[in-house]
C-alpha cells in the first residue's frame, strides 16, 4: 500500500493529469484514488462552459431533399438539445394552473367590463377559454410524444412550413422579449399605488436584478419561483371569490345585499356586439402564457407522466379562476364605475375591479393586499418572459433560424446568450422614470398584442397536420402516449376561432368604440396599437420563404421519430393500459378530468 498514489485531476475532457511523473494526459490506473470535484469556485466557473453535447444545425446546410433548409437536421437538433431536464410534476402543474393568472385578469378585466358589460365579459372569456382548452390539449399530445426544444415553433417547422416556424418562433421570442421591460415597468407603476415617493428607477433596478438572478439558477430556479408565485396567485383568487360572495350577500361593512342588481341596472351588456368583440384580445392577453407548459416539456424529467396531468388541469383553471372570479366581479362592480377606465396603463391597480370591489365594500387594508398580489403576478410574468424568450431563441438557433451563438447552452443547461439578451432588453424598463412612460408602454405592448393568437392558431394547425401525417405514415392513435380529448375536431375549432378573433380584432381596430368622435390621427394610432403584430409576422414569413425557398411539409415527409424519448414506448403504454384497467371506476373518471 506504500506505493499507492493519490491524484487530483480536472474531469473536463482533455485535461487529465497525475503526479506519477508522466507528462501525458493519462487516466489514473486501477487502485488510484482521485478527486472527482474541484473547488466551488472551479465548479462555478466551469458551469458556464458550453455543454460538450451541444450541437447546432449550420445555417444554409443543404438537406437530403436538396433544399436549402435542412428540415431533418433541424428536427434532430431540437430533439438533442442539452437543456437540463429538472422540472418535476409539481412545477408543471403550478405553471399550468397559475402560469397565466396575471394583470390580464386582475387589472385588464376592468377595462373589458367597462367596454362590454358583465355578460359580454363572461361570454368572451368563456369562448377564448374553450378555444384555449382545445389548443392546450393539442399541444399536450404533441409535447408528450415530442418533448423537444422550442415546442410549438419547432412543431410549425416540422409539420407545416419552416418559414412559418421561423415566423412563429421569432413572433413568440419577441413577445416575451418585449414583455420583460413591460412587466418591470408595470411592477414599478404598481408601487405608485402607495405613493411611496421613491423613484421608479430604484424599483426597476431591484426587480430586474431579482428576475435575472432567478433565471441564473437555471430551469430549477424558474420552476421553484413559479411554484411559489402560482400558489400565492391561486390563494388570492380563491380568497377573492369567497370575499366576493360575502360582499354580494350583504356581509360587507358597506353596500348591503347586491344579488343581481348590477346586471339589471346598468345592465348586462354595453356597446352591443362591438363591446363583446373588443374583449376578445383582452381575454387572449389574460390567458397568454398557458402554452409555456408545452415549452417546459423539453426540460421535464418525465413529460409522459407529468404533462398530461398539467394539461388536463387547464380546464379547471379556466373554469374556477377566470369564469367564477369574473362572474363575481360582474356582480359586485357596475360597468359604469369611472375608476375602471382611470388607469394610466393596463397594469394600474386603481383600475382593478378586484381592488374597486374591496374599496366599495369599505374593507380597509385588503386593497393593499390585493395590490401586493398584482405585484407578484407582474413579477411572475416577468420571470416567465426570460424563460420563454431564452428557450425559444436557443431552439431557433438549433434549427438554423437564428445566429448560432444563441444556441450556447452551458453545462447547467442554461441558454446563457438568450438569457443575456432578454436581460439586456430588460433595461428598457428605465423608461419608467420618463414622463413618456405611458406612450412607450402602450406601443411596446402593441408589438406583442396579437402574438398569442398567432401562436395558438399555429399549435392547432400543426396538430391537424401532425394527425394527418401520423395516419398517412401508418400509425394509429393507440400508439400515442396522450391523446387530445377534443381531438382533431377541437383543433379545427381552435384554429378557426383564432382566425375569427383576428378578423374581429381588425374590425375593432379599424372602427373602435367611440370612433365617430376620434380624429384621423387617433384612429390610425388605435389601429396599429392593436394590429401592429400582424404585418410583422407576415413580413417574417414571406422574407424567410423567399430567401430560403421553403415549401410546405408533405405528410409523407414529416419526421415522426426525432425527439421520442422512450424507445420502448409501445411496451410502456401496454403496461400502463393494463394497470389502468385494474383501477376502480372513480379513479378512472378522476384521471380523465385531472
Amino acid at each position: 500500500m506504500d506505493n499507492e498514489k493519490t491524484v487530483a485531476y480536472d474531469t473536463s475532457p482533455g485535461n487529465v493529469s497525475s503526479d506519477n511523473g508522466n507528462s501525458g494526459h493519462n487516466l489514473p490506473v486501477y487502485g488510484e484514488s482521485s478527486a472527482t470535484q474541484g473547488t466551488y469556485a472551479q465548479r462555478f466557473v466551469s458551469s458556464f462552459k458550453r455543454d460538450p453535447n451541444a450541437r447546432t444545425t449550420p445555417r444554409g446546410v443543404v438537406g437530403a431533399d436538396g433544399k436549402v433548409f435542412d428540415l431533418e437536421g433541424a428536427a434532430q437538433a431540437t430533439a438533442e438539445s442539452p437543456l437540463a431536464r429538472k422540472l418535476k410534476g409539481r412545477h408543471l402543474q403550478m405553471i399550468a394552473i397559475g402560469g397565466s393568472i396575471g394583470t390580464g385578469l386582475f387589472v385588464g378585466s376592468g377595462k373589458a367590463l367597462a367596454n362590454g358589460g358583465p355578460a359580454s365579459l363572461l361570454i368572451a372569456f368563456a369562448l377564448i377559454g374553450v378555444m384555449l382548452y382545445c389548443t392546450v390539449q393539442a399541444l399536450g399530445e404533441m409535447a408528450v410524444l415530442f418533448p423537444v426544444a422550442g415546442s410549438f415553433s419547432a412543431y410549425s417547422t416540422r409539420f407545416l412550413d419552416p418559414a412559418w416556424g421561423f415566423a412563429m418562433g421569432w413572433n413568440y421570442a419577441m413577445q416575451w422579449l418585449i414583455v420583460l421591460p413591460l412587466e418591470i415597468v408595470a411592477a414599478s407603476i404598481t408601487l405608485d399605488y402607495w405613493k411611496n415617493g421613491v423613484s421608479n428607477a430604484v424599483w426597476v433596478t431591484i426587480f430586474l436584478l431579482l428576475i435575472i438572478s432567478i433565471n441564473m439558477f437555471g430551469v430549477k430556479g424558474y420552476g421553484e419561483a413559479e411554484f411559489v408565485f402560482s400558489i400565492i396567485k391561486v390563494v388570492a383568487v380563491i380568497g377573492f371569490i369567497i370575499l366576493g360572495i360575502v360582499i354580494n350577500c350583504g356581509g360587507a361593512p358597506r353596500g348591503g345585499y347586491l344579488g343581481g342588481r348590477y346586471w339589471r341596472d346598468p345592465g348586462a351588456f354595453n356597446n352591443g356586439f362591438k363591446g363583446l368583440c373588443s374583449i376578445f384580445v383582452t381575454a387572449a392577453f389574460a390567458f397568454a402564457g398557458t402554452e409555456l407548459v408545452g415549452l417546459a416539456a423539453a426540460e421535464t424529467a418525465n413529460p409522459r407522466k407529468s404533462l398530461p396531468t398539467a394539461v388536463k388541469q387547464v380546464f379547471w383553471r379556466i373554469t374556477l379562476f377566470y369564469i367564477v372570479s369574473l362572474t363575481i366581479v360582474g356582480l359586485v362592480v357596475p360597468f359604469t364605475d369611472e375608476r375602471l377606465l382611470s388607469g394610466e396603463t393596463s397594469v394600474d391597480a386603481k383600475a382593478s375591479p378586484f381592488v374597486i370591489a374591496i374599496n366599495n365594500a369599505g374593507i380597509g387594508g385588503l386593497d393593499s393586499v390585493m395590490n401586493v398580489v398584482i405585484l407578484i403576478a407582474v413579477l411572475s410574468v416577468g420571470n416567465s418572459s426570460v424563460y420563454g424568450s431564452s428557450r425559444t431563441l436557443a431552439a431557433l438557433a438549433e434549427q438554423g433560424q437564428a445566429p448560432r451563438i444563441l444556441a450556447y447552452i452551458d453545462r447547467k443547461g442554461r441558454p446563457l446568450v438568450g438569457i443575456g439578451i432578454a436581460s439586456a432588453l430588460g433595461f428598457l424598463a428605465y423608461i419608467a422614470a420618463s414622463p413618456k412612460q405611458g406612450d412607450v408602454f402602450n406601443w411596446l405592448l402593441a408589438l406583442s398584442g396579437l402574438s398569442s393568437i398567432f401562436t395558438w392558431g399555429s399549435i392547432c394547425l400543426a396538430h391537424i397536420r401532425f394527425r394527418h401525417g401520423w395516419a398517412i405514415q401508418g400509425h394509429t392513435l393507440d400508439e400515442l402516449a396522450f391523446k387530445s380529448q377534443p381531438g382533431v375536431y377541437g383543433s379545427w375549432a381552435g384554429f378557426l376561432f383564432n382566425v375569427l378573433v383576428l378578423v374581429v380584432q381588425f374590425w375593432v381596430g379599424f372602427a373602435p368604440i367611440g370612433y365617430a368622435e376620434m380624429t384621423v390621427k387617433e384612429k390610425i394610432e388605435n389601429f396599429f396599437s392593436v394590429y401592429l403584430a400582424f404585418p410583422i409576422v407576415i413580413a417574417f414569413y414571406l422574407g424567410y420563404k423567399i430567401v430560403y425557398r421553403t415549401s410546405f411539409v408533405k405528410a409523407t415527409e414529416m419526421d415522426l421519430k426525432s425527439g421520442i424519448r422512450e424507445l420502448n414506448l409501445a411496451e410502456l403504454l401496454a403496461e400502463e393500459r393494463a394497470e389502468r384497467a385494474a383501477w376502480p371506476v372513480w379513479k378512472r373518471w378522476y384521471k380523465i378530468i385531472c
Side-chain angles (χ1 to χ4, degrees):
M1 296 297 291
D2 294 336
N3 294 326
E4 181 178 333
K5 298 176 182 178
T6 301
V7 297
Y9 64 98
D10 185 355
T11 57
S12 59
N15 190 28
V16 181
S17 63
S18 70
D19 63 0
N20 60 4
N22 295 330
S23 58
H25 298 294
N26 298 320
L27 291 172
V29 298
Y30 178 77
E32 291 182 330
S33 60
S34 61
T36 57
Q37 291 185 336
T39 63
Y40 176 80
Q42 289 173 332
R43 297 199 308 273
F44 178 75
V45 172
S46 179
S47 71
F48 290 95
K49 295 179 181 178
R50 184 188 286 272
D51 188 293
N53 298 315
R55 63 184 289 271
T56 61
T57 305
R59 178 175 298 179
V61 169
V62 178
D65 58 358
K67 299 295 179 61
V68 173
F69 184 83
D70 184 4
L71 189 61
E72 182 180 346
Q76 194 67 30
T78 54
E80 297 178 357
S81 174
L83 292 170
R85 298 172 180 176
K86 295 184 177 179
L87 286 179
K88 299 179 180 178
R90 63 183 178 89
H91 296 134
L92 275 188
Q93 289 173 29
M94 292 312 295
I95 290 172
I97 292 174
S100 68
I101 297 177
T103 54
L105 173 64
F106 291 130
V107 182
S109 58
K111 185 177 181 180
L113 175 63
N115 287 336
S120 292
L121 183 70
L122 284 181
I123 293 170
F125 270 79
L127 288 175
I128 294 290
V130 170
M131 178 268 290
L132 196 56
Y133 167 74
C134 296
T135 302
V136 174
Q137 286 280 327
L139 176 60
E141 179 176 304
M142 293 186 290
V144 169
L145 187 62
F146 306 112
V148 299
S151 188
F152 27 84
S153 65
Y155 301 145
S156 293
T157 296
R158 188 185 287 203
F159 304 130
L160 298 175
D161 181 352
W164 189 249
F166 170 81
M168 286 301 95
W170 278 103
N171 165 68
Y172 195 71
M174 285 197 302
Q175 172 191 346
W176 284 120
L177 287 171
I178 291 167
V179 161
L180 177 60
L182 285 180
E183 295 303 320
I184 295 175
V185 170
S188 65
I189 293 174
T190 302
L191 288 168
D192 288 341
Y193 183 81
W194 290 291
K195 298 179 175 61
N196 51 64
V198 179
S199 171
N200 282 347
V202 175
W203 298 117
V204 165
T205 303
I206 293 172
F207 296 143
L208 188 57
L209 290 176
L210 175 63
I211 290 172
I212 293 173
S213 299
I214 289 173
N215 280 273
M216 287 309 295
F217 280 99
V219 69
K220 192 72 178 291
Y222 164 74
E224 293 295 349
E226 281 305 299
F227 183 77
V228 174
F229 289 154
S230 295
I231 287 177
I232 294 173
K233 291 186 287 186
V234 166
V235 170
V237 172
I238 293 174
F240 175 80
I241 290 173
I242 296 172
L243 177 64
I245 293 172
V246 172
I247 293 173
N248 186 258
C249 293
R254 189 169 64 226
Y257 175 75
L258 296 176
R261 178 191 306 173
Y262 296 141
W263 279 64
R264 295 187 299 272
D265 182 22
F269 295 93
N270 189 29
N271 295 313
F273 182 66
K274 185 172 288 187
L276 170 65
C277 293
S278 69
I279 300 176
F280 281 133
V281 169
T282 301
F285 176 77
F287 283 118
T290 305
E291 69 287 339
L292 278 171
V293 71
L295 194 66
E299 297 178 84
T300 303
N302 189 350
R304 188 172 55 84
K305 291 285 189 181
S306 306
L307 207 55
T309 301
V311 165
K312 292 172 187 175
Q313 289 176 348
V314 169
F315 172 79
W316 299 108
R317 190 197 67 206
I318 292 170
T319 303
L320 177 62
F321 301 127
Y322 281 89
I323 304 305
V324 175
S325 64
L326 291 177
T327 299
I328 298 296
V329 163
L331 289 172
V332 297
V333 179
F335 69 74
T336 52
D337 194 310
E338 295 181 356
R339 289 169 293 179
L340 293 171
L341 298 174
S342 66
E344 297 176 8
T345 69
S346 61
V347 294
D348 195 335
K350 295 192 297 291
S352 169
F354 292 78
V355 173
I356 292 172
I358 293 170
N359 287 333
N360 286 349
I363 304 173
L366 272 185
D367 56 337
S368 291
V369 173
M370 201 67 219
N371 202 48
V372 170
V373 174
I374 294 172
L375 177 62
I376 290 172
V378 167
L379 293 177
S380 173
V381 176
N383 183 39
S384 295
S385 70
V386 176
Y387 176 82
S389 60
S390 62
R391 270 61 180 182
T392 304
L393 288 173
L396 285 168
E398 286 174 340
Q399 297 175 92
Q401 295 176 327
R404 276 182 278 172
I405 187 62
L406 292 172
Y408 186 99
I409 297 175
D410 68 11
R411 297 183 177 187
K412 293 293 185 182
R414 297 170 297 199
L416 281 184
V417 178
I419 292 175
I421 290 176
S423 302
L425 287 176
F427 285 94
L428 288 174
Y430 283 103
I431 60 174
S434 164
K436 292 287 186 179
Q437 67 174 18
D439 293 337
V440 177
F441 188 98
N442 290 329
W443 280 110
L444 284 176
L445 191 62
L447 287 171
S448 61
L450 294 175
S451 292
S452 294
I453 301 297
F454 278 109
T455 297
W456 298 336
S458 296
I459 290 171
C460 292
L461 189 57
H463 180 246
I464 293 167
R465 292 290 299 151
F466 158 71
R467 278 286 189 96
H468 180 59
W470 190 254
I472 289 294
Q473 294 189 25
H475 297 283
T476 65
L477 296 183
D478 289 335
E479 297 175 57
L480 297 175
F482 172 73
K483 293 189 287 290
S484 167
Q485 290 175 339
V488 175
Y489 296 109
S491 293
W492 271 113
F495 173 71
L496 293 175
F497 196 82
N498 275 290
V499 172
L500 179 63
V501 170
L502 287 176
V503 173
V504 165
Q505 188 58 22
F506 180 87
W507 175 51
V508 173
F510 181 76
I513 295 172
Y515 74 97
E517 290 80 29
M518 298 170 68
T519 64
V520 174
K521 181 176 181 292
E522 289 173 338
K523 290 178 182 177
I524 293 174
E525 286 184 354
N526 179 79
F527 176 78
F528 282 104
S529 69
V530 297
Y531 226 73
L532 185 59
F534 185 87
I536 292 176
V537 169
I538 299 303
F540 269 69
Y541 172 65
L542 293 179
Y544 194 87
K545 194 167 186 67
I546 291 170
V547 172
Y548 288 94
R549 308 191 305 278
T550 62
S551 58
F552 296 104
V553 182
K554 297 178 181 178
T556 54
E557 297 175 357
M558 291 179 184
D559 183 350
L560 299 178
K561 295 181 180 179
S562 298
I564 298 178
R565 286 192 190 174
E566 289 91 358
L567 298 178
N568 59 336
L569 185 59
E571 291 81 358
L572 290 172
L573 291 178
E575 291 177 6
E576 290 176 2
R577 286 172 183 140
E579 180 185 346
R580 284 199 294 267
W583 287 349
V585 175
W586 69 267
K587 189 172 183 179
R588 291 184 206 172
W589 279 102
Y590 174 78
K591 287 296 182 180
I592 289 174
I593 60 177
C594 290

